[in-house]
Amino acid sequence: MFVHLQGPWTPLLGRLSLSQIPYNNPIIVGAFVFAAVLGLALVGAVTYAGQWGPLWRNWFTTVDHKKIGVMYILVGLVMLFRGFIDALMMRTQQLMADGPHSPGFLGSLHGYLTPYHFGQIYSAHGTIMILFAVTPILVGLMNIVVPLQIGARDMAYPYLNAVGLWLTVAATALVMLSLFVGDFSHAGWVGLIPLTELPYSPGVGVDYWMWAIQIGSVGTTLGAINLIATIVKMRAPGMTWGRLPIFTWAALSTNIIALSSFPVLTVALALLGLDRYFGTHFFTAGMGGNLMLYTNLFWIWGHPEVYFVVLPAFGTISEIVPTFSEKPLFGYVTMAAASLAIAGLSWAVWLHHFFTMGASPEVNAFFSVATMLVGIPTGVKVFNWAFTMYRARMRFETPMLWAVGALVLLLIGGLTGMMLAVPAIDYTVHNSVFVIAHFHTMLMLIAFGALGGITYWFPKVFGFKLDEATGKRFFWYFSAGTFMVFVPMYMLGFMGMTRRLDYVANPHWWPFLMAEEIGIGLYSVSVYYMVKQLYVSIRDRADNRVGNDAWGTSRSLEWITHSPVPYYNFAVTPQVNARDEWAWRRDQGFTSLKPDEYEDIHMPKNTAVPLVIGAFSMALGFGLVWRIWWLSELALAGLIVTVIVRAFATDTDTIIAADDVRRMERAAAQAAAAPNASGALGLPVRGAVASRQDSRRDS
């Protein structure tokens, strides 16, 4: 029934054996030791602090959309670090392996990575950064912010929300496990056909890649259903479509893309799985298949995916710029329409990824024009942001720095994207690092937007700000690293350097490769400041506490409730009166109003079922990778039974009594009124600080 593979196989362990553990590779051994020491340190710290019980009750089994969003972001940041290490290794390899006389180390003819190992790192870097770093961070932000912005108590399907998180965790765990047990795909993050077919990749690397993406895609699809349903059905009274915050419009557009595109990727990977496991030939050119079928299916998903990650970043910019410009967003209607237009046009551009593959001039011309059309709604956004900042009282606090940096990258990436939309130019620079530089410029724009969003909404979730001084150092080193890495890469692309090179034959490119390595060094310094910012912020959290409005000039509905947000979000479902509800209440003097009476609040109970589903999904993926059939069957049966048992559960909800709500609201109000909770009741931060200084001077 299954394809017979060469090599040992046992009923108990399938293809898995001690020889599959790369203990003779010092790089992997070092990575394992680092991960093991860090993991043991975390386990020891949690055990010493006696926090396993609270961690289980409050986080691992939670269905609270805010905590789920935080865990999404933590997973994304961990994978962002892993992807950065891969980038550091690739840049260092190319610098060391430049020219025929470059020395070799660790068994490599040039540099320190063998071609096969370099191919795995190359594939892992792209897969991780796009699917398991940027995507979870942005999904986490949407999880946290969207229900708050529309006045909802939680997501439409809290249990499903947790399932999506733990499926993502299972997928990332498979990717991380491939580093120490077996290997990873060497066929690029896109899964280049025919390299992913069995004759070219008989090992388990492609299987790790395929099943990790497949499991993660299911989680993303479930999340898309949930967010769309939440936005459509859970809006507070008065929250009409014309009052929806722009970040929520961006989230809606994003998840429409996800719901319609990720199933296409699921089909493409399912057909590849049939080829690898059952011997079909959907993509085998010599056996009646068509490799272009995979290429079309992948990029029909792949290019909408680009806008799936860029639209939430645009949404964060649209929230940050008005706050720190202290004025409403210019062109609200056109901004919302532009998000929907980008989502629609995202489906008409996928073929520009293979202009060189022999399509007719008419086909190339159509997709060239469609690609250029995306520049129109994107340009609308840029001009709206610029007009918002025009003659504004701008404050360049850390979130605003990230937003402005993102705008600079958008201009560079957008202009180079328009160049690549021309088939003649694409023919000239195809497969060069110019294309890589353009793509990374857009991804760095997304990273800037995401980091700005984390900084902006962090105090709303945790009740205290991130440290401003270290945050600005983080921003400047990160920005310097971005330009030092990718500006030389644009130049190398024009000079003819192609992508995926583990050995660089032209020694004249060395100065540019050295500049990229310096940029990687600046990125490393920025990582230090990111960790330091988090440490200093937690250490000094008592001094950096905030009230409802952390920034003093915020505008949308999430700033009405307490910081940190209680798990029921709003004591009373808010009545929305204006587009920028919090700014309207601040202008009208309604920031300190309290309800006359409270009502019981209906909320979902925590549950361990999503974690169990994630564990079974990881076991299923691992069993399929190594062809351990008993493990796969047991995990699949466990998944089915768990889902069925949960479907019959009735004790899934709880009621918060009105008296308890009143008590918690009173405690939160007292904490917000403390002297160091700046901006507690809508008082602008500057004004709050000035008032405290005046009172100290008077005393």
Side-chain angles (χ1 to χ4, degrees), residues 232-301:
V232 172
K233 301 297 291 184
M234 302 286 287
R235 302 192 308 278
M239 181 60 77
T240 62
W241 291 106
R243 292 174 178 171
L244 214 60
I246 291 299
F247 182 83
T248 302
W249 273 114
L252 178 63
S253 305
T254 294
N255 287 285
I256 289 172
I257 292 174
L259 183 58
S260 52
S261 66
F262 272 89
V264 179
L265 178 65
T266 299
V267 169
L269 294 178
L271 295 179
L272 177 62
L274 290 173
D275 280 7
R276 290 184 62 84
Y277 284 78
F278 293 95
T280 58
H281 298 286
F282 288 101
F283 308 132
T284 310
M287 301 295 290
N290 188 342
L291 62 87
M292 285 303 299
L293 172 62
Y294 175 84
T295 304
N296 275 284
L297 285 175
F298 183 88
W299 286 115
I300 285 174
W301 162 80

Side-chain angles (χ1 to χ4, degrees), residues 31 57 88 109 121 153-154 215 231 336 350 372 485 523 542 593 612 645 648 651 653 665:
R57 292 190 300 272
L88 186 152
L109 186 61
I121 293 172
R153 298 219 183 273
D154 207 311
I215 293 170
I231 296 169
W350 81 88
M372 293 180 186
V485 170
Y523 271 138
L593 294 179
V612 173
V645 170
F648 286 94
D651 186 21
D653 302 303
E665 286 294 301

Side-chain angles (χ1 to χ4, degrees), residues 335 377-387 389 407 410-411:
M335 190 68 87
T378 306
V380 167
K381 288 181 174 291
V382 172
F383 281 109
N384 283 346
W385 292 323
F387 285 131
M389 291 185 281
L407 290 180
L410 177 58
L411 292 175

Side-chain angles (χ1 to χ4, degrees), residues 27 92-93 95-115 502-503:
I27 298 173
T92 305
Q93 166 66 19
L95 180 69
M96 294 175 61
D98 186 16
H101 302 295
S102 55
F105 307 93
L106 303 179
S108 178
L109 186 61
H110 300 280
Y112 71 105
L113 295 174
T114 62
D502 66 284
Y503 164 67

Side-chain angles (χ1 to χ4, degrees), residues 496-656:
M497 181 176 172
T498 55
R499 61 202 299 186
R500 305 186 186 95
L501 293 180
D502 66 284
Y503 164 67
V504 182
N506 191 337
H508 297 293
W509 294 342
W510 189 88
F512 297 96
L513 297 173
M514 187 64 214
E516 292 182 15
E517 190 73 7
I518 293 172
I520 289 292
L522 293 170
Y523 271 138
S524 301
V525 176
S526 77
V527 171
Y528 162 76
Y529 277 113
M530 181 180 72
V531 175
K532 183 179 179 180
Q533 180 190 26
L534 190 60
Y535 165 75
V536 171
S537 303
I538 295 174
R539 184 194 66 190
D540 300 338
R541 60 188 180 277
D543 297 328
N544 296 319
R545 283 176 48 229
V546 296
N548 294 11
D549 185 358
W551 308 106
T553 52
S554 305
R555 308 190 64 82
S556 45
L557 192 62
E558 71 268 28
W559 303 102
I560 291 177
T561 189
H562 303 293
S563 301
V565 184
Y567 69 97
Y568 50 80
N569 289 356
F570 302 93
V572 176
T573 300
Q575 172 67 45
V576 179
N577 304 280
R579 181 174 293 161
D580 292 331
E581 177 66 15
W582 177 241
W584 180 85
R585 293 193 183 193
R586 189 167 56 231
D587 293 340
Q588 300 296 321
F590 295 155
T591 57
S592 58
L593 294 179
K594 296 292 185 294
D596 295 329
E597 58 182 40
Y598 295 94
E599 297 180 352
D600 295 347
I601 297 177
H602 177 267
M603 295 295 292
K605 278 186 176 180
N606 287 0
T607 173
V609 172
L611 178 59
V612 173
I613 289 175
F616 277 131
S617 298
M618 181 186 168
L620 175 62
F622 187 79
L624 290 170
V625 166
W626 290 99
R627 289 167 168 77
I628 307 174
W629 303 127
W630 67 266
L631 178 60
S632 303
E633 292 166 0
L634 189 63
L636 181 60
L639 271 174
I640 295 172
V641 170
T642 302
V643 171
I644 292 175
V645 170
R646 167 66 190 191
F648 286 94
T650 56
D651 186 21
T652 59
D653 302 303
T654 187
I655 299 294
I656 307 174

Side-chain angles (χ1 to χ4, degrees), residues 19-98:
S19 63
Q20 298 290 344
I21 300 175
Y23 54 85
N24 58 348
N25 188 318
I27 298 173
I28 296 177
V29 170
F32 176 78
V33 171
F34 173 78
V37 170
L38 184 61
L40 289 173
L42 287 173
V43 170
V46 173
T47 304
Y48 178 78
Q51 291 299 308
W52 284 113
L55 201 61
W56 174 263
R57 292 190 300 272
N58 299 330
W59 290 91
F60 292 160
T61 61
T62 187
V63 293
D64 182 352
H65 70 97
K66 299 175 292 297
K67 291 181 178 178
I68 288 173
V70 169
M71 288 190 283
Y72 263 120
I73 292 172
L74 287 174
V75 169
L77 290 176
V78 169
M79 299 307 287
L80 191 69
F81 178 75
R82 161 70 195 280
F84 167 71
I85 296 300
D86 289 339
L88 186 152
M89 294 176 70
M90 288 191 293
R91 297 280 76 80
T92 305
Q93 166 66 19
Q94 290 186 333
L95 180 69
M96 294 175 61
D98 186 16

Side-chain angles (χ1 to χ4, degrees), residues 184-225:
F184 198 69
S185 171
H186 65 108
W189 82 273
V190 303
L192 295 169
I193 296 290
L195 294 181
T196 51
E197 294 286 328
L198 271 177
Y200 298 90
S201 299
V204 298
V206 171
D207 297 321
Y208 266 124
W209 169 85
M210 180 176 66
W211 290 113
I213 296 178
Q214 196 73 290
I215 293 170
S217 296
V218 174
T220 304
T221 304
L222 294 178
I225 295 170

